[in-house]
Amino acid sequence: MSSEQEAESIRCLVAKVGLDGHDRGAHVIARAFRDAGFEVIYSGLHKAPDEIVQAAVQEDVDVLGISILSGAHDTLVPKIMDGLEEYGAAEDTLVLAGGVIPEEDRDELREQGVAAIFGPGTSVEETIEFVRENAPQR
């Protein structure tokens, strides 16, 4: 299997959670993932944690990228992680968080199962590389 076919088989959900209305970053990542050959689903704005969990499970995604700028990551991300756990999907879903997440909150998110946190100014190449190296093998 060529690395291009491998990349194509990586299914990603780019999700905006909560009341955060800023989606430029999510669009940039979704487009970059698509250009990298990933299959991308975009949640749209203002999704509740359970809607994101449902979408991730129904679409059987390998990667869930949570874009959050509202400061509510400490309550919303755990709800998503719990939901994935409930459906038995936490193990085989690479969960990423992107946006404005203070350094002091990052360890807690990692403990809850977030594989990586990408702050403002992270290059899309770095994010794509991380996904290629860490996405679950099917």
Side-chain angles (χ1 to χ4, degrees):
M1 180 151 94
S2 78
S3 65
E4 197 137 308
Q5 282 172 312
E6 236 170 79
E8 274 173 35
S9 66
I10 298 176
R11 289 175 62 85
C12 304
L13 172 61
V14 175
K16 288 296 302 183
V17 65
L19 299 175
D20 173 6
H22 300 280
D23 62 351
R24 207 179 102 226
H27 282 286
V28 168
I29 283 295
R31 197 167 304 118
F33 278 7
R34 207 166 283 135
D35 292 347
F38 303 162
E39 238 180 286
V40 180
I41 301 140
Y42 174 60
S43 72
L45 282 171
H46 308 305
K47 296 299 177 210
D50 57 315
E51 290 176 296
I52 290 167
V53 170
Q54 292 294 328
V57 170
Q58 285 164 6
E59 296 288 349
D60 191 28
V61 298
D62 304 303
V63 180
L64 170 55
I66 304 166
S67 168
I68 191 156
L69 301 164
S70 65
H73 50 269
D74 51 348
T75 55
L76 296 173
V77 174
K79 286 180 181 167
I80 293 169
M81 299 311 294
D82 290 347
L84 290 174
E85 200 69 54
E86 239 170 82
Y87 283 93
E91 284 300 294
D92 48 7
T93 306
L94 181 72
V95 179
L96 313 174
V100 183
I101 298 171
E103 206 55 56
E104 61 268 20
D105 294 349
R106 294 180 177 206
D107 283 346
E108 197 175 319
L109 293 179
R110 288 192 190 98
E111 279 164 30
Q112 289 159 358
V114 175
I117 297 162
F118 299 100
T122 305
S123 75
V124 289
E125 293 77 19
E126 188 184 327
T127 311
I128 289 165
E129 199 54 43
F130 185 87
V131 169
R132 284 205 172 117
E133 287 171 10
N134 297 283
Q137 299 297 308
R138 289 201 167 255

